[in-house]
């Protein structure tokens, strides 16, 4: 329920089409601009619209691109680290958003997500306090696959 509310809040008037809900992850299709994505909210409640998503943009030839919305504004000098099991990835970041530095890292992250049970995104908030947003990965692989297939098939009229 929380996942669907998050996706609808992100729609902001767009033509969002649900593909499916898989455990704690959902898959959705946007018509304009054309993209499909798997998305999840952190397991902690009240995380200020934080989310993790893996998107495919067919018109841009982009597949399985990571985007993280942080739960807090980070301090400008703080790193953002994504941890999945024993793997650690340094992300590029703005004030509240973070991405993989390149497509190769996106591939490695998606591979780790497929094999993992949970992931955390860690940084230092603008007030100097460390924080971590934690995501369950149950259903993530299926949602990522469903989003990929959703952008191959033409959308319903």
């Amino acid at each position: 329920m929380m996942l669907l509310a998050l996706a609808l809040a992100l729609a902001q008037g767009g033509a969002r089409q649900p593909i499916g809900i898989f455990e704690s992850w959902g898959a959705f299709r946007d018509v304009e601009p054309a993209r499909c994505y798997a998305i999840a909210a952190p397991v902690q409640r009240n995380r200020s619209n934080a989310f993790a998503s893996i998107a495919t943009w067919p018109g841009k030839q982009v597949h399985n691109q990571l985007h993280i919305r942080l739960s807090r504004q980070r301090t400008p000098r703080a790193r953002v680290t994504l941890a999945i099991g024993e793997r650690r990835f340094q992300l590029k970041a703005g004030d509240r958003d973070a991405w993989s530095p390149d497509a190769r890292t996106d591939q490695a992250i998606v591979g780790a997500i497929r094999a993992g049970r949970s992931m955390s995104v860690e940084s230092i908030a603008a007030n100097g306090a460390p924080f971590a947003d934690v995501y369950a990965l149950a259903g993530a692989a299926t949602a990522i696959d469903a989003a990929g297939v959703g952008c191959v098939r033409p959308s319903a009229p």
Side-chain angles (χ1 to χ4, degrees), residues 12 37 49 71-73 79 95 113 122-124 133 154:
Q12 299 176 3
Y37 56 93
N49 294 323
S71 63
R72 300 179 189 171
Q73 182 173 342
R79 291 183 178 191
D95 290 342
I113 286 172
E122 304 167 5
S123 193
I124 306 293
D133 299 326

Side-chain angles (χ1 to χ4, degrees), residues 39-147:
I39 189 168
V43 296
Q44 309 98 316
R45 301 241 185 248
N46 302 322
R47 284 297 184 169
S48 303
N49 294 323
F51 64 83
S53 70
I54 307 291
T56 294
W57 302 76
K60 297 179 180 181
Q61 303 301 313
V62 173
H63 302 282
N64 292 337
Q65 183 179 58
L66 174 76
H67 175 215
I68 302 289
R69 169 57 62 110
L70 302 170
S71 63
R72 300 179 189 171
Q73 182 173 342
R74 72 179 185 88
T75 190
R77 287 177 260 126
R79 291 183 178 191
V80 176
T81 303
L82 173 69
I84 305 169
E86 299 295 319
R87 309 266 329 252
R88 302 286 179 272
F89 303 93
Q90 295 302 313
L91 303 179
K92 295 187 329 182
D95 290 342
R96 290 275 316 264
D97 296 284
W99 305 266
S100 295
D102 53 45
R104 187 172 166 186
T105 305
D106 278 326
Q107 289 177 349
I109 289 170
V110 169
I113 286 172
R114 289 179 179 283
R117 296 179 61 161
S118 68
M119 72 179 187
S120 66
V121 183
E122 304 167 5
S123 193
I124 306 293
N127 67 2
F131 70 95
D133 299 326
V134 178
Y135 296 85
L137 296 179
T142 306
I144 291 166
D145 291 344

